[in-house]
């Protein structure tokens, strides 16, 4: 059997000057003692884009730092206690981690000791596809059987799934995230069963870690199969309090595919949550989302102009009113969500409404508070109510009434 081999000439990331500089620096300190590992090797074998480059080394952390400095590279001890040094070449960071094995774990973090044994290092990794190593020539080392998982694009835990999950319960979500991004077919049955059985361990994690992982999952091109498996296992309900709406989410994914749009994790989250402002606020607080994220989600479910958003698909006056009430971003989100949730296509494509919202310039309301004071209004709530009522009429009339016409209307009411 021919072992898979990465051709460096076809792997631009291996030949990049920054990569070569880091590997040469490490090899100068210990020839052959450093190899590419994890996602870069996995993605190269799967034919997927390689983004981050991780390197495993037999050098100790202080030796890695010394090797980098000797080559004129910057070394940052980002995780020195766990063996990780970030080596920076021409502004590009590389995580260089000493081979290690776990001494103890508690479901969130591990105490490690360093080793020179590649097989020992592989045994502490999460999935066999992530435990593949490649040297500078492209030769692949496979201590756990990960090469068997390349063709079927499956994610199989290293060793016993239950043991791997108990070491770090975030691996439950990583299983579904990798399936969403790279998997084909159903998840590995043993891994899926272990994830379902041990899902309560997710409570041990910080909600920030959970939300970060869920966002990455939702950013996959089509995460529906992975999310359906999570729902069936009861994991979505544990995280969100509901299993969510895969139908509305599916509509958003279909829009992305049809129009070649980049996946929008926040919009997909709203579709999955399938709830009103109260549910969204509860979920945002539970997952400790940022203020900006929370505002975006709340705008997407703001009920104040829901009727006008619905009418906007056939009535541009309603579209203008909704944009005035919600803002362009929230209006576009609501239009997409409504279109995604409809069984039959709406009468107007949501993309036209989105384009209209982005290009629409809000007219300036011609009446000011001072104008009403001249009419005898006292500053205070009554003046504000009068302005709001007048502005609502002006919006309903497509912004056509002039200042004089609006003042005249106020005098007659």
């Amino acid at each position: 059997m021919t072992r898979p081999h990465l051709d460096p000439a076809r792997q631009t990331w291996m030949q990049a000057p920054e990569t070569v500089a880091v590997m040469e620096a490490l090899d100068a300190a210990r020839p052959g003692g450093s190899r590419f590992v994890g996602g870069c090797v996995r993605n190269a074998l799967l034919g997927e884009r390689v983004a981050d480059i991780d390197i495993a080394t037999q050098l100790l952390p202080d030796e890695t730092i010394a090797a980098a400095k000797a080559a004129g590279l910057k070394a940052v001890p980002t995780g020195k206690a766990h063996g990780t040094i970030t080596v920076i070449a021409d502004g590009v960071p590389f995580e260089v981690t000493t081979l290690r094995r776990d001494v103890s774990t508690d479901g969130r973090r591990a105490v490690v000791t360093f080793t020179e044994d590649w097989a020992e290092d592989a045994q502490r990794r999460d999935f066999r596809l992530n435990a593949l190593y490649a040297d500078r020539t492209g030769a692949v080392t496979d201590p756990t059987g990960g090469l068997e998982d390349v063709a079927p694009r499956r994610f199989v835990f290293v060793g016993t799934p239950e043991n791997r999950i108990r070491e770090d319960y975030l691996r439950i979500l990583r299983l579904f995230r990798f399936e969403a991004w790279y998997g084909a077919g159903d998840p590995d049955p043993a891994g899926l069963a272990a994830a379902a059985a041990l899902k309560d361990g997710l409570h041990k994690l910080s909600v920030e870690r959970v939300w970060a992982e869920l966002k990455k999952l939702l950013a996959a091109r089509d995460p529906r199969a992975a999310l359906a498996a999570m729902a069936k296992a009861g994991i979505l309900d544990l995280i969100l309090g509901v299993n969510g709406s895969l139908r509305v989410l599916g509509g958003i994914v279909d829009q992305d595919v049809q129009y070649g749009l980049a996946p929008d994790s926040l919009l997909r989250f709203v579709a999955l949550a399938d709830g009103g402002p109260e549910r969204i606020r509860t979920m945002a607080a539970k997952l400790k989302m940022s203020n900006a994220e929370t505002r975006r989600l709340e705008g997407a479910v703001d009920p104040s102009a829901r009727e006008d958003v619905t009418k906007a698909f056939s009535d541009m006056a309603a579209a203008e009113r909704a944009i005035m009430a919600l803002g362009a971003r929230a209006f576009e989100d609501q239009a997409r969500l409504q279109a995604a949730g409809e069984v039959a296509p709406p009468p107007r494509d949501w993309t036209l409404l989105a384009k209209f919202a982005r290009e629409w310039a809000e007219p300036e309301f011609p009446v000011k508070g001072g104008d009403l004071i001249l009419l005898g209004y006292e500053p205070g709530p009554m003046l504000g109510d009068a302005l709001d009522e007048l502005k609502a009429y002006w919006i309903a009339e497509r912004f056509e009434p002039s200042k004089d016409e609006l003042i005249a209307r106020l005098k007659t009411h």
Side-chain angles (χ1 to χ4, degrees):
M1 177 180 174
T2 303
R3 292 182 72 79
H5 186 280
L6 296 176
D7 182 356
R10 296 186 177 184
Q11 302 295 332
T12 56
W13 60 275
M14 293 179 72
Q15 295 303 310
E18 301 83 10
T19 308
V20 172
V22 172
M23 292 301 286
E24 285 184 346
L26 299 173
D27 277 350
R30 180 161 185 165
S34 302
R35 300 174 186 174
F36 302 110
V37 68
C40 58
V41 181
R42 176 198 68 219
N43 283 20
L45 290 169
L46 292 175
E48 300 282 351
R49 185 178 74 90
V50 172
D52 301 321
I53 301 173
D54 293 337
I55 299 168
T57 184
Q58 293 174 320
L59 295 172
L60 294 172
D62 285 334
E63 294 173 331
T64 298
I65 293 173
K69 290 183 176 179
L73 305 177
K74 184 177 181 180
V76 182
T78 46
K80 187 177 178 183
H82 286 81
T84 300
I85 305 297
T86 299
V87 178
I88 302 172
D90 197 20
V92 179
F94 297 78
E95 282 200 355
V96 181
T97 303
T98 302
L99 301 184
R100 54 195 180 174
R101 60 181 173 84
D102 290 337
V103 175
S104 63
T105 59
D106 64 3
R108 289 177 295 176
R109 59 185 69 85
V111 175
V112 301
T113 188
F114 302 128
T115 179
E116 294 189 352
D117 190 328
W118 298 97
E120 269 194 316
D121 184 77
Q123 286 300 318
R124 70 172 303 279
R125 295 183 179 271
D126 49 10
F127 304 102
R128 302 192 313 190
L129 264 178
N130 292 341
L132 297 169
Y133 306 79
D135 65 18
R136 295 177 66 188
T137 72
V140 177
T141 302
D142 176 19
T144 67
L147 291 175
E148 299 174 18
D149 303 329
V150 173
R153 300 175 75 96
R154 68 187 174 203
F155 286 85
V156 179
F157 282 102
V158 173
T160 304
E162 291 81 2
N163 291 345
R164 293 288 82 77
I165 291 173
R166 287 192 177 98
E167 289 167 354
D168 183 354
Y169 287 99
L170 194 68
R171 287 172 174 170
I172 292 174
L173 299 184
R174 285 170 62 85
L175 170 64
F176 294 104
R177 194 241 295 181
F178 288 133
E179 286 290 343
W181 275 86
Y182 310 115
D186 296 326
D188 175 60
L192 184 59
L198 298 174
K199 61 181 180 291
D200 286 343
L202 291 171
H203 291 305
K204 293 188 174 185
L205 304 174
S206 72
V207 291
E208 291 90 347
R209 289 183 76 195
V210 172
W211 172 227
E213 196 66 32
L214 184 57
K215 274 194 294 187
K216 292 176 185 177
L217 189 159
L218 289 169
R221 183 175 182 273
D222 189 347
R224 284 176 284 192
L227 288 166
M230 289 176 70
K232 187 175 181 180
I235 294 169
L236 273 184
D237 183 63
L238 184 145
I239 295 173
L240 304 179
V242 295
N243 261 336
S245 172
L246 294 176
R247 184 181 71 83
V248 180
L249 173 73
I252 294 294
V253 173
D254 287 340
Q255 291 172 2
D256 292 336
V257 173
Q258 181 179 357
Y259 296 102
L261 303 175
D264 185 332
S265 294
L266 288 177
L267 183 62
R268 288 178 170 191
F269 180 84
V270 177
L272 182 65
D274 191 31
E278 185 176 348
R279 177 180 291 179
I280 288 296
R281 279 193 293 270
T282 299
M283 290 181 177
K286 180 180 179 181
L287 294 172
K288 293 188 179 179
M289 296 183 189
S290 70
N291 291 336
E293 289 171 337
T294 302
R295 285 193 298 270
R296 169 84 185 280
L297 300 184
E298 288 178 340
V301 296
D302 184 339
S304 62
R306 184 168 297 151
E307 184 177 346
D308 277 332
V309 174
T310 302
K311 292 178 180 178
F313 287 94
S314 57
D315 179 358
M316 295 313 291
E320 290 179 318
R321 291 195 300 269
I323 294 168
M324 285 280 288
L326 299 170
R329 172 78 272 177
F331 171 78
E332 181 179 337
D333 286 345
Q334 291 202 21
R336 285 195 66 178
L337 289 165
Q338 285 205 20
E342 293 292 333
V343 176
R348 178 180 282 116
D349 195 316
W350 69 266
T351 60
L352 298 178
L353 294 180
K355 184 175 185 294
F356 178 72
R358 294 183 198 125
E359 296 177 352
W360 186 76
E362 179 180 339
E364 184 178 358
F365 182 48
V367 179
K368 308 298 182 187
D371 299 318
L372 272 61
I373 290 175
L374 291 176
L375 294 176
Y377 282 83
E378 294 288 338
M382 289 185 63
L383 185 149
D385 291 344
L387 275 176
D388 290 344
E389 184 178 339
L390 206 58
K391 187 172 183 179
Y393 167 76
W394 176 70
I395 294 172
E397 293 296 316
R398 300 291 302 277
F399 322 105
E400 292 178 359
S402 66
K403 177 178 179 178
D404 290 341
E405 290 169 332
L406 291 168
I407 294 295
R409 175 180 173 80
L410 193 63
K411 288 178 179 179
T412 61
H413 280 70

